[in-house]
Structures are given as C-alpha cells and as structure tokens.
Amino acid sequence: MQNIISGLNQAHEHVPGKKRKLIGDRGDFFLNRMQGETGVNISACYQCERCTNACPVSHFMDIKPHQAIRYVQLGWREDLLKSSTIWICLSCEMCTTYCPNEVDVAEIIHHLRNMAVHSSITPKEKSLAVFHQTFLEVLRKSGRINELRLMNAYYLKPDILHERIKNNILKEDLLLGMALLRKGRLKLFTPKFRAIKEIKKAYSQTRGEIV
Ligand code: SF4
Ligand code: SF4
C-alpha cells in the first residue's frame, strides 16, 4: 500500500499544479484501450518500482517507467505522449524482465511511442523522434539497416543538420563514421533483405507506423 501511495504522489510531482484525478473521474477508457491493443495486463501493476530500478536510463526520463504505468491506469494519455520517456526508452526490456507481475512495460512504452508519432503532439525529444521515424522508413524500404543510408536520411530531415552543426555534434558524427569505416564496421552498400515484401506487408499491418 505504501508503494501505491508513493507511486501516486511521485506521479503527481511531474504535473505541477495538476489536481489529482481518480481513475473513476476519467473512466477506464484509455486503460482498456491500451490493454486491448497490447494484450498487457496493466491493472496488475502494484507500483513496486522494480521496473524503474532496473531501467538503465530512468534517470533521464521525466516520467519513470512505474509512473508511466500508473499514468496509463489513470488515463493520462496526453502527459504520456508529451513525455521524454517514450523517446528516451531503449527498448532493452529490463523493466519487463524484472516485473514480478509480468507487466510488459517495454511494450507499453513502445505502443505509446507509436501513438505519439500519429498524434499532433510535438515530441519533447524532437531529434530522437525524427531518428525513430527515419529508422523505420529506412527499414521499410530495404528490410535492413545500412548505417550510412540511415544517417544520410536522418540529416536530410528538416532542421536536423542545422541542429547538429549548431550543437557541434556533426563533427563528432563524422569522426566516428570515419573511424568505423577504417575498421570495416560501416558498409557503403547493403543489399536489400530478401524477404522485403514480407517486411512491407508487416508494416502495413501495423497501426500505420510509417507516414
Ligand atoms: S515492476 Fe511491474 S508491478 Fe512493479 S511497478 Fe513496474 S510494472 Fe508495476
Ligand atoms: S525498455 Fe525502456 S523503460 Fe524498460 S528498462 Fe529498457 S530503457 Fe527502461
């Protein structure tokens, strides 16, 4: 019980000035939708925080993994889609592995990320969001990732090149790329994956990840 109360209080620390809304106030619509679409029993979470303790990047997230699950239970969809959490998550699944109730936290965050891509909400971590989108585009086109093609496509996205020059990251990227090329870790060309048709079909069967 202490954990549940603590989880609720911590969740609210991230929403300054927001009045607590009980689950009943918002209805269970969002919770039911998420459970239906992911097949994850989100209601089973009792806020033990093991997922957050296991997460290697929770320190950088504005809504910690256990809080994200609580937000879903409360129906706080917009806060989740606006969060940095959905873009910072590495999909490493440590949270899922350590959950004693088999709540697939990684899948929930992944699902929220895809929801955010199709919402009109401006992503909090814009460059990460654009990278995510570019990665999926390249993967859909060739069925596998060629790092040079990926980075080229990424730089051509609006504002990305300018931002990387401004933040002095482009030079680091180039130096890293050259070092990897010298070590034979970067390939100039990668043939298309043979099962490209199946991959494109799988994409079209998703909820429209690619725009
Ligand atoms: S580890 Fe599982 S039960 Fe514990 S807070 Fe995270 S999702 Fe909830
Ligand atoms: S999948 Fe995401 S939320 Fe879960 S442990 Fe890894 S980085 Fe953290």
Side-chain angles (χ1 to χ4, degrees):
M1 180 55 77
Q2 188 60 37
N3 280 334
I4 296 173
I5 293 166
S6 143
L8 269 170
N9 289 338
Q10 284 176 32
H12 280 270
E13 281 168 13
H14 292 273
V15 191
K18 187 166 186 171
K19 283 186 185 168
R20 174 181 295 181
K21 287 190 176 181
L22 300 176
I23 293 174
D25 292 340
R26 297 292 298 262
D28 290 342
F29 176 79
F30 185 58
L31 172 63
N32 288 338
R33 178 184 167 188
M34 287 291 290
Q35 294 195 134
E37 289 177 358
T38 62
V40 178
N41 184 7
I42 301 165
S43 305
C45 170
Y46 52 33
Q47 293 291 291
C48 68
E49 300 186 26
R50 283 189 77 181
C51 48
T52 295
N53 292 336
C55 175
V57 288
S58 66
H59 182 67
F60 302 103
M61 295 171 168
D62 51 2
I63 299 174
K64 310 297 179 200
H66 74 285
Q67 293 170 337
I69 298 299
R70 192 71 185 121
Y71 274 41
V72 175
Q73 291 175 340
L74 293 166
W76 294 356
R77 175 182 169 277
E78 200 171 322
D79 295 309
L80 286 163
L81 300 192
K82 276 186 196 162
S83 72
S84 68
T85 302
I86 57 174
W87 302 111
I88 286 174
C89 171
L90 304 170
S91 301
C92 67
E93 300 189 1
M94 290 294 280
C95 48
T96 301
T97 306
Y98 278 88
C99 176
N101 289 329
E102 299 184 358
V103 178
D104 192 345
V105 183
E107 173 60 24
I108 297 300
I109 293 179
H110 177 71
H111 201 71
L112 290 167
R113 186 158 54 215
N114 286 339
M115 271 185 182
V117 166
H118 293 96
S119 74
S120 54
I121 291 173
T122 306
K124 195 159 187 181
E125 303 287 338
K126 193 182 167 214
S127 55
L128 286 176
V130 173
F131 186 83
H132 173 76
Q133 188 74 1
T134 312
F135 183 94
L136 292 175
E137 285 169 6
V138 172
L139 189 62
R140 187 184 65 161
K141 277 184 193 151
S142 56
R144 52 169 54 121
I145 291 295
N146 174 294
E147 287 82 1
L148 281 178
R149 188 183 299 167
L150 172 63
M151 293 315 288
N152 191 37
Y154 180 55
Y155 289 146
L156 291 174
K157 295 287 179 187
D159 300 333
I160 294 297
L161 189 59
H162 177 254
E163 188 188 296
R164 291 187 94 74
I165 292 172
K166 197 175 84 182
N167 295 331
N168 216 13
I169 307 173
L170 185 66
K171 194 176 158 195
E172 283 175 29
D173 286 351
L174 289 172
L175 288 173
L176 180 64
M178 281 162 66
L180 289 171
L181 261 179
R182 271 199 301 273
K183 290 185 178 177
R185 302 298 295 272
L186 275 186
K187 290 199 171 85
L188 291 178
F189 303 103
T190 310
K192 277 190 180 178
F193 186 51
R194 273 180 298 165
I196 183 68
K197 276 189 186 166
E198 283 74 12
I199 287 189
K200 286 190 175 178
K201 193 173 163 196
Y203 269 108
S204 67
Q205 285 172 344
T206 64
R207 297 172 58 254
E209 253 180 331
I210 303 293
V211 287

